[in-house]
Amino acid sequence: MQHFTPLSALGGGLLIGLASAVILFATGRVVGVSGILGGIVAPSRGDAGWRLTFVLGLLASGALMAHFSPERFSMQGTLSAPFIALAGLLVGFGTRMSG
């Protein structure tokens, strides 16, 4: 935890909370990235637009962060990038299965 920055963590949490609240009030649905991605693969009529926008926002924010703060994306641990990607997919799959 040598690089823990409480203010940036708080800011990130506030942005996630704000995005979740906007989706909840706009659509009446609770945000879950696995569900949003699933809705892109098999969209309901008129439902794919906000889902695609949400996912593109996630990707764009990651790309911006990688551009402006590349040191936050350095792999300093012993885990490989494919292993971490697999772990992320399994978490998403488990979340989707529990819902």
Side-chain angles (χ1 to χ4, degrees):
M1 278 196 26
Q2 62 190 8
H3 298 293
F4 176 66
T5 54
L7 291 180
S8 65
L10 178 62
L14 288 172
L15 286 174
I16 291 170
L18 177 63
S20 299
V22 168
I23 296 295
L24 177 64
F25 290 120
T27 67
R29 299 177 185 192
V30 176
V31 173
V33 174
S34 298
I36 291 172
L37 286 173
I40 291 173
V41 173
S44 299
R45 176 173 239 170
D47 199 34
W50 72 266
R51 292 173 186 270
L52 188 58
T53 303
F54 189 91
V55 171
L56 289 175
L58 289 175
L59 295 173
S61 62
L64 284 172
M65 190 69 178
H67 177 74
F68 289 109
S69 188
E71 69 278 358
R72 294 184 187 262
F73 284 82
S74 66
M75 301 290 293
Q76 295 179 356
T78 58
L79 301 176
S80 67
F83 184 82
I84 293 171
L86 176 63
L89 288 172
L90 290 174
V91 167
F93 180 74
T95 302
R96 183 80 171 147
M97 294 299 292
S98 67

